[in-house]
Amino acid sequence: MFPAKCWKSPVGYKAMNHKTMWQAACAAAVLAFIAAVAQATAAFSLPSGVQAQPAVPVAVDVFVQASNLYPDITLGFFGADSLFVISYVVVFAGLYAATRERAGTLAVMGLAVGVLTAGLDATENAFYITYALGAKAGMPLEAPALPLIYLLTNLKWMAAFATLLAFGLVFPRETWLERIIMGLMLLFPLVGVLGVAAPGLIAIRGLFFLVGMPLFAVYFGKRARA
């Protein structure tokens, strides 16, 4: 499943520790990309107008459609999303390792807020998973906790913006690959906060991960071989 270049044997104990970190981050980035593709596949398999995870507030009758009418697809979507969450936490650990010597305070901030992002994301997912499981058990969703879910969604994205802003500001920029990654990490929070004023931009957020995770995998793979 993972690129062979992620797993070359290290030489020496210190080199092994460093290489193991880059190998793990490389593998996690690959897993996160696979999870994102699986999410997109599940989302597109739903009928037009049915959303597994609405990006903006919708009416209750629209919100409950995915859980009540298509619980299996919804669970597939959030199974993939759960894999994405636990994978990107390890990617954030790799970004911490890449930036801690350049700016330790911001690197710690990025990792801490990244873990907070994962916690908010997992909590948000737990609502959708519980709703879909209830529908499968014959208890269709009638009164979702919409304000709380939307608050979690917003806080999750704000934390993600802060995470990649912190890492992006201090990320290495000696090579073309590092400069591209740095640019994407800095562009992500900019587009994200613009999406608050222009909700039409919200759909673009996910594209950063589809593009960014393969780039992270390549970068970490190169560090593992160095």
Side-chain angles (χ1 to χ4, degrees):
M1 179 181 293
F2 307 128
K5 64 184 180 182
C6 295
W7 301 103
K8 292 191 176 180
S9 298
V11 179
Y13 183 74
K14 184 175 181 180
M16 180 177 69
N17 286 341
H18 290 167
K19 186 165 288 190
T20 300
M21 175 72 249
W22 303 126
Q23 289 170 344
C26 175
V30 173
L31 275 177
F33 176 73
I34 292 171
V37 172
Q39 277 184 271
T41 302
F44 283 116
S45 67
L46 289 169
S48 177
V50 179
Q51 304 175 63
Q53 187 177 29
V56 296
V58 296
V60 172
D61 61 331
V62 176
F63 184 92
V64 303
Q65 284 181 331
S67 296
N68 287 350
L69 302 179
Y70 309 96
D72 290 325
I73 297 177
T74 300
L75 289 172
F77 179 93
F78 285 102
D81 198 17
S82 297
L83 176 61
F84 184 71
V85 172
I86 61 179
S87 298
Y88 73 59
V89 172
V90 180
V91 171
F92 290 158
L95 293 177
Y96 167 77
T99 57
R100 63 185 174 186
E101 293 183 2
R102 293 173 58 86
T105 300
L106 278 177
V108 170
M109 173 187 165
L111 182 58
V113 183
V115 172
L116 174 62
T117 302
L120 293 168
D121 204 349
T123 304
E124 177 197 24
N125 287 354
F127 280 93
Y128 290 97
I129 293 169
T130 301
Y131 292 154
L133 288 173
K136 279 180 66 70
M139 297 176 290
L141 177 60
E142 296 179 356
L146 291 188
L148 177 57
I149 293 173
Y150 291 137
L151 285 172
L152 285 170
T153 300
N154 186 68
L155 290 172
K156 171 194 72 176
W157 282 110
M158 291 301 117
F161 301 153
T163 298
L164 292 184
L165 177 63
F167 284 135
L169 288 171
V170 296
F171 195 72
R173 58 204 69 178
E174 281 74 30
T175 68
W176 65 268
L177 177 61
E178 290 172 340
R179 288 191 288 271
I180 290 174
I181 291 174
M182 178 197 69
L184 285 174
M185 285 198 289
L186 294 178
L187 186 60
F188 174 63
L190 175 61
V191 173
V193 296
L194 287 175
V196 175
L201 295 175
I202 290 177
I204 301 176
R205 293 173 178 175
L207 295 178
F208 282 91
F209 292 105
L210 282 174
V211 175
M213 288 304 172
L215 292 177
F216 286 140
V218 173
Y219 173 76
F220 294 137
K222 286 179 177 292
R223 294 294 297 262
R225 294 196 306 272

